[in-house]
């Protein structure tokens, strides 16, 4: 499976354009059913809004979909979709709610407003690269923790968890194939006085 870029969780941003409120909500989704459910949840939240425009991109089947939801054709859903495409993200849905402020924006104004709102929401999102990784689980006596933590910090790692109980345990994520040198260092340092376990490869944020 190839690496890909998506977001973690959800994000939201709002802009005001000539008294119209534009609120873009983003969510990580992996199926069309999840995307549709998120769109519906935003519609329920903003029942009084005139428009709830949406766009989504899914890795599964390389599917894309967008809707202007009553706005002039290609002024809302497509600009939102273009922002997602331009950011290179997938497994994502965007829903932009518009509360009309009484002033017509024209087609150019609508395109700019929907584009800017989606861009603002992406700026608030936690964008992550999903790669083939391995998780390294280390259990060690307290006396070895400082040196192991230093060794971990010198490599391209993501520390997922550190727990202090009878022993210290750490869970460290690395890109698959890059873990060899660190594993050798840790095992030499511990010299059998702790345990090191490596997970099977998994696709995860790094």
């Amino acid at each position: 499976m190839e690496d890909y870029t998506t977001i973690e969780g959800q994000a939201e941003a709002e802009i005001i354009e000539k008294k119209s409120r534009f609120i873009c909500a983003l969510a990580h989704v992996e199926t069309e059913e999840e995307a549709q459910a998120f769109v519906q949840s935003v519609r329920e939240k903003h029942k009084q809004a005139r428009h709830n425009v949406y766009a989504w991109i899914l890795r599964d089947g390389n599917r894309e979909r967008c809707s202007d939801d009553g706005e002039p054709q290609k002024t809302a859903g497509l600009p939102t979709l273009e922002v997602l495409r331009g950011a290179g993200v997938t497994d994502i849905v965007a829903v932009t709610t518009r509360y009309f402020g009484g002033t017509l924006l024209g087609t150019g104004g609508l395109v700019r407003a929907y584009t800017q709102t989606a861009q603002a929401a992406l700026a608030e999102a936690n964008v992550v690269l999903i790669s083939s990784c391995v998780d390294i689980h280390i259990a060690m006596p307290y006396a070895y923790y400082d040196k192991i933590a230093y060794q971990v910090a010198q490599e391209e790692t993501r520390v997922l968890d550190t727990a202090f109980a009878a022993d210290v345990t750490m869970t460290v994520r690395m890109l698959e194939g890059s873990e060899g040198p660190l594993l050798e260092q840790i095992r030499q340092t511990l010299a059998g006085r702790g345990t090191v376990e490596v997970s099977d490869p998994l696709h995860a944020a790094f």
Side-chain angles (χ1 to χ4, degrees):
M1 191 180 297
E2 294 182 356
D3 295 354
Y4 62 95
T5 303
T6 187
I7 67 167
E8 287 186 326
Q10 300 182 9
E12 186 173 292
E14 176 178 343
I15 70 167
I16 305 293
E17 183 67 27
K18 294 183 179 178
K19 298 183 180 180
S20 280
R21 291 177 64 204
F22 292 83
I23 308 162
C24 182
L26 302 177
H28 172 79
V29 293
E30 297 184 0
T31 66
E32 195 162 317
E33 290 75 20
E34 289 178 0
Q36 291 170 337
F38 184 74
V39 172
Q40 187 58 35
S41 71
V42 174
R43 284 177 171 157
E44 290 293 322
K45 181 179 177 181
H46 296 287
K47 288 182 179 180
Q48 304 306 313
R50 179 168 292 194
H51 307 284
N52 285 290
V53 168
Y54 66 82
W56 69 64
I57 300 177
L58 298 175
R59 243 178 353 111
D60 183 18
N62 295 315
R63 284 174 291 171
E64 298 180 343
R65 188 171 177 182
C66 64
S67 167
D68 294 310
D69 194 36
E71 293 282 31
Q73 189 175 9
K74 297 183 179 180
T75 64
L78 184 58
T80 303
L81 182 60
E82 291 289 0
V83 170
L84 302 183
R85 288 172 174 165
V89 289
T90 189
D91 282 354
I92 187 170
V93 57
V95 187
T96 303
T97 301
R98 181 191 181 194
Y99 287 94
F100 184 55
T103 301
L104 295 175
L105 301 182
T107 56
L110 287 171
V111 170
R112 284 192 299 273
Y114 279 103
T115 298
Q116 290 170 3
T117 313
Q119 289 171 335
L122 271 174
E124 294 295 322
N126 184 22
V127 179
V128 293
L129 176 66
I130 304 298
S131 303
S132 182
C133 301
V134 292
D135 288 349
I136 303 169
H137 306 283
I138 311 159
M140 72 201 98
Y142 276 73
Y144 294 90
Y145 170 67
D146 286 344
K147 187 168 185 179
I148 297 296
Y150 175 80
Q151 291 171 339
V152 167
Q154 300 311 300
E155 303 291 334
E156 291 291 327
T157 61
R158 180 180 179 185
V159 178
L160 302 181
D161 182 63
T162 304
F164 300 90
D167 286 329
V168 184
T169 58
M170 294 180 70
T171 302
V172 178
R173 180 164 292 166
M174 300 188 73
L175 294 175
E176 182 189 7
S178 70
E179 70 275 11
L182 179 60
L183 287 173
E184 185 175 350
Q185 288 183 60
I186 292 172
R187 285 169 175 150
Q188 287 180 354
T189 298
L190 292 177
R193 296 177 180 86
T195 60
V196 183
E197 297 178 355
V198 183
S199 73
D200 292 331
L202 68 157
H203 263 74
F206 179 73

